[in-house]
Amino acid sequence: MKKWKCDFLGTYLKRLWNDDLVNSNQKNDCSPILKQTLVALAPLLLTICSGMTSGYSAILLPQLKMNSTININDEEASWIASMAALPMAIGSVVGGFLVEKTGRRATHAISCMPTLIGWLLIYFASNIEMILAGRFVTGFCVGLLGSATGVYIGETSEPAFRGFLLAGISFSIAFGLFLSHLLGTFLHWRTTALISSLLPIASQLILLFVPESPSFLAKKQDQEKAEKSFYWCRGHTEQAKKELTIMLERQKQQVPTSQATSIRDRIDELLVPEFLKPLGIIVVFIVANQWAGINAITFYTVTIMKKTIGEGVNEYVAMLTVDTIRVLMSILACILLRRLGRRPLAIVSGIGTSLALISLSASIYLAKFYPNLTFGTYIPMTSLVAYIAFVSVGFVPLPWAMIGEVFPMKTRSIGSGISSFMAFTAFFTVVKTSPGMLAELGTSGTFLTYSVVATVATVFVCFYLPETKGKALHEIEDKFKDKALKTAKVKHDNH
């Protein structure tokens, strides 16, 4: 019986890969959306692991300080907390290179083994050096995924479901944070690390049965494999056939990367409006995303809760409360991106984030001078919850989702690498400067600073953020080209 089941599974997976090539008129055994979800599941499992990497220090450090065979001081604790963030920006640069040279799927496959090794280093750690090494390796892999995940999901999903699947990136990070804090609340830090190490194994197994990105294969001049991959993911609908034809025709018109050997040729590929405009939009949006302060809350939940609400805050309850709100709002973001679109969600999220931060800052400031006011802790608490909800439903998921949509096929890996590098650099600066800002500006001043960033970002997206809902990737690219051509035509007519 067991052998029969294994043979049946093997035969089904093989047929799942080949069914679209056997007969283009044959009905698929598995619907395209299920296949696209399967493709997305592998990188999203690794992204959950990324969330666990960011959240792990919050449960590791208290256990090491309270009762552990590894003794640490405050300086060593700060290094453990920040060690994962240090290599993220570097990892995003390496990830951008791997996405371009080895492929989108291949980059995720390459990330699985070092991620596993990093968590096992922590699990078997007998000294602080092994913990630091494990944190560094897992943080580096988070950077690798920042460049690859959005691009891979964006290129393998159809326009109708692309926003939903791309929003899964933010959900996976939020769920990873929640999972690491939940496990660490009840389990030993070594057990939590061991459970975390299972995710890259599961991801690697799924990657064995899903194809490489059709856009990457087309870029490498492998038309047969590109068609096979595209039809496996998308089926044989008229819309899919049209998109495939356009993608292959455009790729034939481009000079192969291997022939563009000079530095000048590479630079010229980047100095075009269809690359520079989306790069500017995403970089501003993603840096503002970080400086709206959500990761300051994530890393310093207890400190901020005590300053905002009072001293009687249970640190584990505070962490899990914040995590639960983020997870729920990330789920809502997946649904809203499927139904609404990018621009409306970004604007509503930005306005809500700004107002909640201003309310939070004002209520904390007034409480210093009027401690007997009747609103007590209700307004600060309500404002804090509203802030986490609004920033998590739009500002957090949208930039990462749109990385996989707005860049042209030829320079998509470079655009994702630069955007991820800027995001992780901003991430590190926010986490590093938050304690100093809380000390120098106070809690009200810190949140006021974040509110200014959120307000400026909201105005920016109102004017410049494109709507990509329901559009094929080549249509998004053409939109930036059309704008550039219209601008050039106006300038020419004026002269």
Side-chain angles (χ1 to χ4, degrees), residues 128-237:
I128 188 175
E129 287 76 17
M130 291 183 69
I131 293 177
L132 289 173
R135 294 283 289 162
F136 184 91
V137 172
T138 52
F140 181 79
C141 291
V142 172
L144 290 180
L145 297 172
S147 302
T149 301
V151 173
Y152 187 39
I153 295 175
E155 290 180 346
T156 53
S157 56
E158 61 186 276
F161 299 103
R162 192 174 61 233
F164 176 85
L165 294 173
L166 285 170
I169 298 173
S170 177
F171 166 75
S172 297
I173 293 174
F175 183 72
L177 286 166
F178 171 77
L179 188 60
S180 65
H181 293 163
L182 181 65
L183 292 173
T185 300
F186 300 103
L187 302 175
H188 192 273
W189 59 269
R190 291 186 190 274
T191 307
T192 303
L194 184 62
I195 293 173
S196 301
S197 71
L198 299 177
L199 291 172
I201 297 175
S203 179
Q204 183 68 78
L205 290 174
I206 295 174
L207 287 168
L208 295 174
F209 302 107
V210 296
E212 179 57 86
S213 160
S215 297
F216 174 77
L217 294 170
K219 190 174 182 181
K220 294 300 179 182
Q221 308 299 313
D222 196 337
Q223 181 171 330
E224 183 180 348
K225 286 187 178 180
E227 290 181 1
K228 182 178 180 180
S229 173
F230 192 92
Y231 286 134
W232 191 92
C233 294
R234 299 285 302 276
H236 286 81
T237 65

Side-chain angles (χ1 to χ4, degrees), residues 153-390:
I153 295 175
E155 290 180 346
T156 53
S157 56
E158 61 186 276
F161 299 103
R162 192 174 61 233
F164 176 85
L165 294 173
L166 285 170
I169 298 173
S170 177
F171 166 75
S172 297
I173 293 174
F175 183 72
L177 286 166
F178 171 77
L179 188 60
S180 65
H181 293 163
L182 181 65
L183 292 173
T185 300
F186 300 103
L187 302 175
H188 192 273
W189 59 269
R190 291 186 190 274
T191 307
T192 303
L194 184 62
I195 293 173
S196 301
S197 71
L198 299 177
L199 291 172
I201 297 175
S203 179
Q204 183 68 78
L205 290 174
I206 295 174
L207 287 168
L208 295 174
F209 302 107
V210 296
E212 179 57 86
S213 160
S215 297
F216 174 77
L217 294 170
K219 190 174 182 181
K220 294 300 179 182
Q221 308 299 313
D222 196 337
Q223 181 171 330
E224 183 180 348
K225 286 187 178 180
E227 290 181 1
K228 182 178 180 180
S229 173
F230 192 92
Y231 286 134
W232 191 92
C233 294
R234 299 285 302 276
H236 286 81
T237 65
E238 290 303 318
Q239 180 187 4
K241 291 178 181 178
K242 180 181 178 182
E243 286 184 42
L244 176 61
T245 301
I246 294 173
M247 181 186 74
L248 294 176
E249 286 179 352
R250 292 191 176 191
Q251 189 55 48
K252 288 178 182 178
Q253 296 170 2
Q254 294 178 355
V255 178
T257 305
S258 58
Q259 297 179 17
T261 54
S262 71
I263 297 177
R264 183 62 190 175
D265 288 338
R266 299 292 178 87
I267 293 175
D268 287 343
E269 291 177 357
L270 304 180
L271 298 180
V272 291
E274 59 265 31
F275 176 77
L276 293 177
K277 286 192 172 186
L279 179 65
I281 292 169
I282 291 298
V283 166
V284 172
F285 196 13
I286 210 163
V287 171
N289 157 301
Q290 295 295 327
W291 272 98
I294 185 60
N295 283 310
I297 297 287
T298 300
F299 275 71
Y300 305 104
T301 302
V302 178
T303 301
I304 291 173
M305 285 279 195
K306 286 180 178 178
K307 290 179 178 291
T308 304
I309 303 168
E311 290 295 326
V313 176
N314 182 290
E315 74 178 281
Y316 291 105
V317 172
M319 280 193 306
L320 293 175
T321 300
V322 171
D323 293 342
T324 301
I325 296 171
R326 287 192 65 173
V327 169
L328 293 176
M329 298 312 295
S330 296
I331 295 172
L332 181 60
C334 293
I335 298 170
L336 292 179
L337 277 175
R338 172 80 173 87
R339 295 179 177 275
L340 293 182
R342 286 40 159 180
R343 280 179 54 81
L345 191 58
I347 294 170
V348 170
S349 173
I351 293 173
T353 299
S354 301
L355 293 177
L357 284 169
I358 292 170
S359 173
L360 181 59
S361 174
S363 60
I364 295 172
Y365 182 78
L366 290 173
K368 292 180 182 179
F369 299 97
Y370 305 99
N372 296 323
L373 285 176
T374 56
F375 59 69
T377 62
Y378 293 109
I379 290 182
M381 184 63 183
T382 302
S383 300
L384 185 61
V385 170
Y387 160 67
I388 297 168
F390 275 111

Side-chain angles (χ1 to χ4, degrees), residues 394-458:
F395 263 37
V396 170
L398 278 169
W400 292 104
M402 296 184 74
I403 281 179
E405 296 183 312
V406 296
F407 294 110
M409 181 170 65
K410 191 172 186 179
T411 52
R412 193 167 291 147
S413 57
I414 299 174
S416 66
I418 295 173
S419 301
S420 300
F421 175 81
M422 294 301 297
F424 288 125
T425 301
F427 169 85
F428 178 75
T429 58
V430 169
V431 173
K432 190 67 176 175
T433 59
S434 292
M437 290 178 66
L438 289 168
E440 296 295 326
L441 302 177
T443 311
S444 61
T446 301
F447 282 121
L448 183 62
T449 302
Y450 295 151
S451 73
V452 171
V453 176
T455 302
V456 172
T458 303

